[in-house]
Amino acid sequence: MLKNLYRLFPAFALAAPLCAAEWMTDCDAALRKAGEENKLVLMDFTGSDWCGACIQMRQRVLDTPEFQAYADAHLVLLEVDLPRNAAKLGQEGYNRNQALVRRHGVSAYPTIVVLNAQGQTVGGFKGGKYSVQEMTAAMDKAAQNAAAVAGLPQLTGEPRLKALFSLYKDFKDNGLDSAAAEYSAILEQEDTTGTTPIGDEVADRNLLAAFYSAPIHNGTPEEQAEYIDRTVAACKTPDTKTTLLLMKMRMLSAAAQTPEDVAKARAALLQVAEVNPDARSTVESMDREMFSDPEAVLEKNRRAAQDSEDKAQAAQVEMLVRQRLATIQGKEASLAEVDRELAKDYPPLVKARLYALKATITRRYAQTTDDIKEAHGYMLRMADCQGEQAETFREAVNKMYEDYDRVLQADKARKF
């Protein structure tokens, strides 16, 4: 095991610290440390007790010996946690982290923001990265950006404008909207000769704002497709055209009912390669994955339409049963009422709602762990009604009920 680790990561292994790199929680202290040690600050915006992607990235990348060795040499690590259980941080800590979320415009988790010692954003990304190589590459890019930011005061004219635009594009492409907006504002003020494409970027940004607020989104797929085409024709940048054409492709694909409809969706995807040649390899990969079998697209849509109908029916049946249960007292009588509905010829998703309702009733009247075990059984029946996702549901249910006594005590405490 250790031999394999050294073979894969010899430089990291030799430099690995004896203990894990420290995760700080105070931004001001982290910035001071970064200044003293000539490092950058990696801010991990996370939801430690609810965000699955955050937890995965922490386990698979940030807490690995390989990345910890890299961080020890180059970074100060700062955790900005927004847990569902705010008591973990205390009110002061939670409010402090909320302020950082607002300051950096964080809208999704996980998000990584990299700061220089002066608190300026120099890199990062929205969403997860799940390999050490991807993460360190992003940090190396942040280090390059930090050098560019440090050199800006010495630049004038065209070199300065190009450096500003390069930073703007990197932040925009990685979802760091707050930092991108800051550099866009600087460019709009300084680029009076059209040296960079910032004017086109701003024009497209305004075009997209008008597009998203237009009522046409309630029209038919054909009307929406025509509106997207008109907007694409008015766009100035390949990125914006790509965004709109992919939206058109997804919309037409989801609404497709005939092979001709699928062909129209595919044509929208292929058009992306025409307006944005840099995306050609990605388009080809998506084409193979999504449109190699048109009938599979149509079958997926048929299943989605049926699932939508089943979910609507399930919600209606559950509402009617709950109305009747409001006039019934006692566990056995309530369960019997639900069983009368279960005996009917309903689709699996309707039955899933009814089994979940039986579990709720059982827990409401639970006095012993045997009652919780009974509720667990009903939830497993619910999971069995989930088709291809049945196994995933079963795993989640089993985890929820892994400690019957804990569930029982929690239900009693909140007067379930």
Side-chain angles (χ1 to χ4, degrees), residues 54 79 81 144 218 238 240 270 293 303 306 349 374 408:
C54 302
E79 181 181 66
D81 191 12
Q144 294 173 20
N218 297 321
T240 307
L270 297 179
D293 185 355
R303 290 200 306 268
Q306 185 61 56
L349 287 180
E374 181 183 355
L408 177 64

Side-chain angles (χ1 to χ4, degrees), residues 242-315:
T242 296
T243 296
L244 290 167
L245 288 171
L246 289 177
M247 183 186 304
K248 177 183 175 182
M249 179 271 292
R250 286 190 289 266
M251 182 269 296
L252 290 176
S253 179
Q257 297 182 11
T258 68
E260 291 74 21
D261 294 336
V262 177
K264 291 177 182 178
R266 180 172 183 256
L269 173 62
L270 297 179
Q271 192 179 348
V272 171
E274 297 175 13
V275 303
N276 191 352
D278 290 343
R280 185 173 299 279
S281 62
T282 301
V283 167
E284 292 172 352
S285 176
M286 292 177 66
D287 185 32
R288 290 191 297 270
E289 181 180 344
M290 300 180 66
F291 296 112
S292 59
D293 185 355
E295 181 54 37
V297 176
L298 297 176
E299 178 58 27
K300 179 182 177 181
N301 289 349
R302 285 191 286 268
R303 290 200 306 268
Q306 185 61 56
D307 283 352
S308 181
E309 290 181 15
D310 291 348
K311 287 177 182 177
Q313 184 182 18

Side-chain angles (χ1 to χ4, degrees), residues 92-317:
E92 181 181 350
Y94 192 83
N95 291 344
R96 181 178 65 235
N97 286 356
Q98 283 280 23
L100 288 171
V101 167
R102 291 191 296 270
R103 183 187 310 167
H104 294 281
V106 174
S107 59
Y109 296 85
T111 288
I112 296 292
V113 176
V114 184
L115 307 177
N116 61 17
Q118 291 71 48
Q120 297 168 294
T121 299
V122 295
F125 51 87
K126 180 189 293 185
K129 293 191 184 297
Y130 301 105
S131 75
V132 171
Q133 291 83 355
E134 284 184 306
M135 183 66 74
T136 55
M139 296 305 102
D140 289 344
K141 177 59 177 172
Q144 294 173 20
N145 287 345
V149 169
L152 283 174
Q154 286 76 49
L155 296 178
T156 59
E158 184 175 333
R160 174 177 168 82
L161 293 174
K162 288 185 174 180
L164 286 167
F165 189 78
S166 178
L167 290 164
Y168 159 78
K169 280 291 291 178
D170 187 67
F171 298 147
K172 179 190 173 189
D173 292 346
N174 283 289
L176 303 177
D177 297 334
S178 180
E182 178 184 345
Y183 278 83
S184 175
I186 296 171
L187 280 162
E188 289 174 57
Q189 182 177 2
E190 296 189 17
D191 188 1
T192 57
T193 59
T195 300
T196 70
I198 193 63
D200 291 344
E201 295 273 341
V202 173
D204 276 7
R205 194 186 310 149
N206 294 334
L207 192 67
L208 277 180
F211 172 84
Y212 287 126
S213 63
I216 192 66
H217 300 295
N218 297 321
T220 65
E222 292 76 14
E223 291 171 336
Q224 293 181 53
E226 289 177 6
Y227 182 57
I228 291 174
D229 287 339
R230 292 198 298 273
T231 308
V232 168
C235 288
K236 298 180 181 297
T237 66
D239 287 351
T240 307
K241 291 179 180 180
T242 296
T243 296
L244 290 167
L245 288 171
L246 289 177
M247 183 186 304
K248 177 183 175 182
M249 179 271 292
R250 286 190 289 266
M251 182 269 296
L252 290 176
S253 179
Q257 297 182 11
T258 68
E260 291 74 21
D261 294 336
V262 177
K264 291 177 182 178
R266 180 172 183 256
L269 173 62
L270 297 179
Q271 192 179 348
V272 171
E274 297 175 13
V275 303
N276 191 352
D278 290 343
R280 185 173 299 279
S281 62
T282 301
V283 167
E284 292 172 352
S285 176
M286 292 177 66
D287 185 32
R288 290 191 297 270
E289 181 180 344
M290 300 180 66
F291 296 112
S292 59
D293 185 355
E295 181 54 37
V297 176
L298 297 176
E299 178 58 27
K300 179 182 177 181
N301 289 349
R302 285 191 286 268
R303 290 200 306 268
Q306 185 61 56
D307 283 352
S308 181
E309 290 181 15
D310 291 348
K311 287 177 182 177
Q313 184 182 18
Q316 182 179 29
V317 169

